[in-house]
Amino acid sequence: MYRHTSIIVLALILVTSFSLAAQPIEEVQVNSPPAVEALLAESGSTEDGLLYMREEEKLARDVYLALYERWGARTFLNIAKAEQQHMDAVGALLAVRNIEDPVAGSAAGEFKNADLAALYTSLVEQGMKSIQEAYLVGAIIEDLDIYDLKEYLSKTTDEAEIWVYTNLLKGSENHMRAFIRQLDRYKVTYKARYISEAELASILSGR
C-alpha cells in the first residue's frame, strides 16, 4: 500500500512541477513522465547528482529572489518561481527514495555544499552592483546549471532522473534566453563560461 501510494504521489508531484509554468518566459515542459513504476527504480541512479542539483536549483531560486528584492524586475521573480518547481521535482525523487534532503530547514543563502554557499555570496554581491550585472548573474547561473545537468544526464541511466534532468535542462535553456534578451537591451554580450560558445549559440537560436 505504501509503495503504491508513493508512486502515485511522486508522479503527481513531478507532473505538477512541470505543468505550473512561469508564463512570461514560456517555460512549458512537453514530455510525459516515464512509466510510473519506473519512478521508484534506482538502478543506474546517481544520488550525488540529485543532492547537488537540489541545492543548485535552490541557489538559483535564492539568488533570483535577492535580485528581485533589490531591482524589482519581474524576470527574476518569474524565474525564481520556476526554480522552485525545479527544486520540487528533484525533492520528490529524494523523498520517495528516502534520501535525506540537503535543503530541509535551510534559510535563503544557506547550503550544505560549501562551494555553492560561496558562489551564492559572490553572485549576490555581483548582482547588487547594477541591473546589468544582475542579468549577467542570471546568465551565469543558467550557464552553470545547463553544464551540470548535461554532466549528470551523461552519468545516469535511471529513467526518472533522465526525465527530470531533461525537463530541468529545457527550463534552464528558457531562462538563459530570457536573461540574454534582457542583456541585449543594455547591449551587453554574454560569453559562455561553462558550456561552449557553440552550445550557447544553439540555445539562443531557439528563442
Side-chain angles (χ1 to χ4, degrees):
M1 177 66 177
Y2 172 76
R3 174 182 171 81
H4 179 69
T5 301
S6 296
I7 293 171
I8 294 173
V9 170
L10 177 58
L12 288 173
I13 290 173
L14 292 177
V15 172
T16 301
S17 294
F18 290 130
S19 62
L20 296 175
Q23 296 300 324
I25 55 172
E26 299 179 348
E27 183 177 337
V28 179
Q29 309 300 337
V30 296
N31 293 335
S32 298
V36 176
E37 283 290 336
L39 291 171
L40 284 181
E42 294 190 59
S43 175
S45 69
T46 54
E47 181 176 320
D48 288 347
L50 290 174
L51 293 170
Y52 188 83
M53 289 312 303
R54 175 75 162 152
E55 285 206 287
E56 188 170 295
E57 298 298 341
K58 180 182 185 295
L59 175 139
R61 184 201 65 179
D62 291 355
V63 171
Y64 297 154
L65 287 175
L67 297 181
Y68 173 69
E69 184 175 349
R70 173 68 178 87
W71 302 108
R74 293 285 303 181
T75 299
F76 292 114
L77 181 60
N78 291 334
I79 299 182
K81 291 177 180 178
E83 299 295 355
Q84 180 64 62
Q85 294 163 17
H86 293 183
M87 284 181 63
D88 292 344
V90 179
L93 280 178
L94 293 176
V96 80
R97 291 172 176 178
N98 295 314
I99 300 172
E100 183 179 357
D101 186 358
V103 310
S106 62
E110 290 183 352
F111 303 89
K112 285 191 174 181
N113 184 291
D115 291 335
L116 291 177
L119 184 60
Y120 170 85
T121 299
S122 70
L123 290 175
V124 170
E125 181 179 340
Q126 179 179 349
M128 294 296 173
K129 295 177 181 178
S130 69
I131 187 63
Q132 294 97 320
E133 288 294 327
Y135 288 132
L136 184 59
V137 162
I140 292 170
I141 290 174
E142 300 307 330
D143 190 342
L144 176 61
D145 211 29
I146 292 166
Y147 176 85
D148 286 336
L149 285 167
K150 287 185 174 181
E151 282 293 300
Y152 287 122
L153 272 168
S154 72
K155 295 174 182 177
T156 184
T157 58
D158 180 89
E159 190 174 0
E161 289 178 17
I162 290 171
W163 183 75
V164 169
Y165 290 158
T166 298
N167 280 275
L168 263 59
L169 182 60
K170 291 175 183 176
S172 290
E173 290 175 349
N174 283 339
H175 300 167
M176 173 66 87
R177 285 188 284 268
F179 285 125
I180 295 298
R181 283 196 296 270
Q182 295 301 323
L183 287 171
D184 285 348
R185 293 175 54 204
Y186 296 95
K187 303 191 184 309
V188 176
T189 300
Y190 180 74
K191 299 292 185 182
R193 302 190 181 192
Y194 300 97
I195 61 176
S196 68
E197 284 294 335
E199 287 174 296
L200 177 61
S202 177
I203 292 168
L204 298 181
S205 69
R207 63 173 140 179

